[in-house]
Amino acid sequence: MNKTDSAGRLFAGLSDVREEYLNELDDMAPKRHSRRLPLLLAAVLLLTLLCGTVAAAVRGEGITEFFGEAWLRLTGEAMGAAQEALIRGLSQEIGRSRTVDGVTVTVDSAAVGDDSFQILLRVTGVLPRARADYRFDGFSCWPAESAASMSACGCSFQGGDGAGALLFLVRYTSVAARFTPEGDPVPVELTLRDLTRRGPFGDREKVEAAGEWSFRFDLDLREAFQILSLGDVEAEWETFPERQPFRFTARDVTVTSTGIRFCHDSSRELPDPDQFVAILSDGAEIPCDENLGNPDGEDFLCTAHFRIPVNLNDLAALRIGNTEVRIP
Amino acid sequence: MEDAEILDLYFRREQAAVGETAKKYGPLCRRVAVNILGSEPDAEECVNDTYLRAWNAIPPDRPDRLGLWLARVTRNLAFDRWKRDRRQRRGGAELLLEELTDCIPDPCDPERELEGRELTEFLDLWLGSLKPEDRRLFLRRYWRGESVRDIAKSAGGTPNSVTKRLTRLRAHLRDALEKEGLTV
């Protein structure tokens, strides 16, 4: 295939891209003039300053407040009292810090589900750069006792806290429940090595702080939470980018505050995590952002984890692909 | 004059419509045409063709965004003209296409070849995944065909930094195509 011809098709294909993108190019959008503009700008500036203050204050606190801010961004509404109580019930303070060459990593707090946990990390001692992306070059976070089931862990940069610290969220997920309210606390080992920074356009990665930060702490599920059983669910979703309908059966579907578990045919492809969405009674939607599958004989045990834990008393429906299942 | 008033002139078949169009959107159309054709006289002809196309199409068409509609018509006419004349001269789109070849995955057994509407839908999704400033940069260069120097001048950067950003964006698009097993 001639690459120049392909580039020509690409150039022609760009012609009809969405108008909203082209309107972002200054002189293609119709210009609107308003004498109220200075007033509006002043109002926006004031709002921005107020929000900035609130955001800084909120992000400066623990994982409950971190989820509260994420909830506001996702749904446009503040978390309700019952929702906040659920997250507080799942949360626990950890408060362990290690300093290496002036850079301090603090394991702030965690939210624990029966098959997963999320931990908020705070890093101080580096100068946060706007729009830069940070990561730890080496990372591991596992429950100390070896898990028989499939599990995964990740650490993602969440931006600054507005007070000079970098925030990271560690997420551990597995396909089988291992935290129980009656069980002993589970020791967790977390190791981070070499904090690196990359510019907004994928510039060469630079080591911001070399060193290793290691922690060992206990996590437990302090309060029992609801588990809903939905039986088998026939679902359909569209493959991307082919947009072909794809049908599959999720068997023995159970829903908890932190996500969904089910079995399906191991020969079938697992839908992307954002194909699983919790729909709340007020219409807010909380998608999953992580899923995992583990072959078990002829079955494929799967989990998908909500971006933010949800109060099942507010759960009106579950959407898997294009299929919506009402919660009885 | 507001777009709605210009469109009303077209709908009343008053020739002043073309004059008002040229006054308001002539510079934009000319810039798009020059960027693609690399020649002022050719661009002038292309812009005149755009006005003729507008006169014939409006009515019945009534574009929601007249400036965007005219720029898109100019871009398509200019690219068609450039393809027709490409054997005779280099310039304008030649350089843009050379750069865009960076976005084309190597021919190592792609699962599907995108074209037409599917290609535009993929580009919409890819553009939507970019930060707005990256999206603007990519479209200024490959939709409007603006020179790297002009982009750098108005964006407050250096040509070198703009070139680097564009190189990374092209590689990002190629990776997105490769990841989905697609080519163009």
Side-chain angles (χ1 to χ4, degrees), chain A residues 192-205:
Chain A
L192 306 157
R193 196 175 57 254
D194 295 347
L195 177 67
T196 67
R197 170 171 58 84
R198 188 188 288 274
F201 301 105
D203 308 327
R204 186 182 294 276
E205 203 165 30

Side-chain angles (χ1 to χ4, degrees), chain A residues 15 18 24 27 201 240, chain B residues 31 72 76 134 144 168:
Chain A
S15 190
R18 284 184 193 157
E24 292 173 353
D27 51 359
F201 301 105
F240 175 86
Chain B
R31 203 162 64 235
R72 183 176 273 147
N76 292 340
D134 293 346
R144 287 211 303 219
R168 287 182 194 116

Side-chain angles (χ1 to χ4, degrees), chain B residues 73-113:
Chain B
V73 168
T74 307
R75 185 182 190 273
N76 292 340
L77 288 173
F79 189 48
D80 286 346
R81 189 185 184 97
W82 177 84
K83 282 189 286 188
R84 201 175 61 223
D85 298 346
R86 66 189 293 187
R87 287 186 192 140
Q88 295 163 26
R89 64 171 81 86
R90 278 177 58 93
E94 187 83 40
L95 188 56
L96 297 174
L97 295 197
E98 270 180 22
E99 290 177 14
L100 282 174
T101 56
D102 291 353
C103 307
I104 310 302
D106 288 325
C108 54
D109 197 23
E111 291 165 27
R112 292 191 71 223
E113 186 177 321

Side-chain angles (χ1 to χ4, degrees), chain A residues 33-63:
Chain A
H33 302 282
S34 168
R35 272 179 277 179
R36 295 169 64 192
L37 192 60
L39 188 62
L40 280 172
L41 280 176
V44 168
L45 183 62
L46 180 62
L47 194 63
T48 305
L49 289 171
L50 286 172
C51 289
T53 309
V54 171
V58 167
R59 298 204 104 195
E61 297 178 23
I63 198 162

Side-chain angles (χ1 to χ4, degrees), chain A residues 71 80 82-83 226 279-282 310-317:
Chain A
W71 186 275
Q83 172 64 36
Q226 271 181 286
I279 302 172
L280 308 184
S281 49
D282 63 359
V310 297
N311 182 349
L312 294 193
N313 291 328
D314 289 336
L315 186 65

Side-chain angles (χ1 to χ4, degrees), chain A residues 43-122:
Chain A
V44 168
L45 183 62
L46 180 62
L47 194 63
T48 305
L49 289 171
L50 286 172
C51 289
T53 309
V54 171
V58 167
R59 298 204 104 195
E61 297 178 23
I63 198 162
T64 304
E65 292 75 17
F66 177 84
F67 280 136
E69 192 198 345
W71 186 275
L72 183 64
R73 279 202 307 272
L74 200 56
T75 68
E77 302 281 343
M79 276 196 304
Q83 172 64 36
E84 188 174 331
L86 171 100
I87 292 187
R88 284 199 188 283
L90 299 177
S91 300
Q92 49 207 272
E93 295 296 319
I94 300 173
R96 302 280 183 85
S97 293
R98 297 274 183 279
T99 301
V100 176
D101 279 347
V103 175
T104 300
V105 176
T106 301
V107 182
D108 184 288
S109 43
V112 182
D114 66 349
D115 61 359
S116 64
F117 58 75
Q118 297 186 70
I119 300 171
L120 184 67
L121 301 181
R122 194 178 301 280

